[in-house]
Amino acid sequence: MDKYGLIGYPLGHSFSISYFNQKFADEGINARYENFEIPSIDILTEVLDKNPDLRGLNVTIPYKEKVIPFLDSLSPEARAIGAVNVIRVTHEKNKTILKGFNSDVIGFTQSIEPMLDKKWHKKALILGTGGASKAINYGLKSLGLETVFVSRYERPDTIQYLRITPEVIKEYNVIVNCTPVGMYPHSDECPDLPYEAMDSHTILYDLIYNPDQTLFMRKGAEKGADVKNGLEMLLLQAFASWEFWNGKEK
């Protein structure tokens, strides 16, 4: 039986394990999906050694960037983004070959593109600076938008939350939350933004999908913003993961 899995820490509730095991059951695929909650990326080699039937992995926080030195090769997108969330595992002559891909960018761009109007949506704010935000940045730029990262800290090429004025919100009217702020069980929290400046030309996209409407989305929607959570992106990137694992490279 083939095996697939997810590496990250902590994992808690995993969308991937329920999605893929349901897929395998529905489609009669002789495979199973497991969570590998590893407190250090160095344990990846142990996971591979103990699971010789492993054919693919998903990668989540905090290992999307840390996993790269363990890989034999990267897809062009993963190399350009600098983050990996899918690993194809192949076994050749007693050697395990690992290739890294990024399906976040595929899922995100396919999900947000229908919301964009080129007349209004030219600039975007990306909340957060982690591995997911790199894929979001790559995706937004591929769709023709200018981007700026937002951080709580003073960093090169970023803007701090305290400097986001109503004028900035009007100019950068596509806002993507790549942070865990507002995720269950902290559903009463949201990124610190001047929501009063938002209107019907504002797009708020939240990578969080639990709860299905975050406070970030709700406060924007109250001002007429177009809002979307990360569930569709997750479904699309899961579909892309399966394609990568089975050698159907894009």
Side-chain angles (χ1 to χ4, degrees):
M1 179 185 285
D2 290 334
K3 192 184 287 186
Y4 300 87
L6 173 68
I7 59 168
Y9 190 84
L11 289 180
H13 169 72
S14 160
F15 166 86
S16 299
I17 194 168
S18 50
Y19 170 85
F20 281 109
N21 283 325
Q22 189 65 53
K23 174 185 173 70
F24 299 154
D26 291 347
E27 299 178 23
I29 298 168
N30 187 28
R32 73 179 185 274
Y33 192 101
E34 293 182 13
N35 282 349
F36 299 102
E37 189 173 60
I38 56 175
S40 165
I41 190 60
D42 296 324
I43 301 172
L44 174 60
T45 51
E46 191 179 312
V47 169
L48 293 164
D49 290 342
K50 288 183 176 176
N51 297 276
D53 45 0
L54 204 55
R55 287 194 57 203
L57 287 167
N58 287 119
V59 184
T60 190
I61 294 168
Y63 300 135
K64 291 186 180 188
E65 296 159 286
K66 292 176 183 174
V67 77
I68 290 175
F70 291 80
L71 307 179
D72 297 288
S73 62
L74 295 173
S75 71
E77 291 80 11
R79 186 177 301 282
I81 293 163
V84 162
N85 75 317
V86 182
I87 300 170
R88 184 167 69 217
V89 183
T90 51
H91 304 279
E92 298 176 7
K93 296 176 184 173
N94 301 320
K95 182 167 167 43
T96 302
I97 310 292
L98 305 178
K99 180 165 185 177
F101 300 87
N102 193 300
S103 67
D104 280 340
V105 68
I106 297 167
F108 173 69
T109 51
Q110 290 178 353
S111 181
I112 198 171
E113 190 169 20
M115 302 174 74
L116 299 171
D117 182 335
K118 284 189 166 62
K119 179 182 174 186
W120 294 105
H121 303 124
K122 296 178 167 60
K123 297 183 179 182
L125 295 176
I126 300 169
L127 311 183
T129 56
S133 69
K134 291 184 172 185
I136 299 315
N137 181 50
Y138 185 92
L140 287 169
K141 286 187 168 179
S142 76
L143 294 170
L145 280 77
E146 286 182 40
T147 59
V148 171
F149 289 101
V150 183
S151 173
R152 288 173 294 169
Y153 311 105
E154 195 79 58
R155 287 180 172 149
D157 304 317
T158 65
I159 182 173
Q160 289 178 285
Y161 284 94
L162 54 86
R163 301 190 191 284
I164 298 178
T165 61
E167 290 73 28
V168 172
I169 293 291
K170 295 289 186 191
E171 186 179 356
Y172 291 81
N173 57 4
V174 178
I175 305 171
V176 184
N177 180 33
C178 302
T179 77
V181 176
M183 186 186 294
Y184 178 85
H186 303 291
S187 310
D188 57 345
E189 298 176 6
C190 65
D192 186 14
L193 299 169
Y195 291 90
E196 69 279 2
M198 297 176 185
D199 58 28
S200 60
H201 297 311
T202 310
I203 291 174
L204 297 189
Y205 193 107
D206 202 329
L207 267 57
I208 294 169
Y209 59 94
N210 183 20
D212 56 10
Q213 188 178 53
T214 59
L215 185 57
F216 167 73
M217 293 166 62
R218 194 158 70 247
K219 288 180 79 162
E222 286 169 1
K223 300 298 180 184
D226 194 6
V227 303
K228 196 170 198 175
N229 71 16
L231 185 58
E232 184 186 49
M233 173 182 163
L234 265 180
L235 289 165
L236 290 165
Q237 68 98 344
F239 179 76
S241 295
W242 183 246
E243 299 273 293
F244 288 141
W245 290 332
N246 288 279
K248 297 166 186 169
E249 297 182 35
K250 305 254 170 150

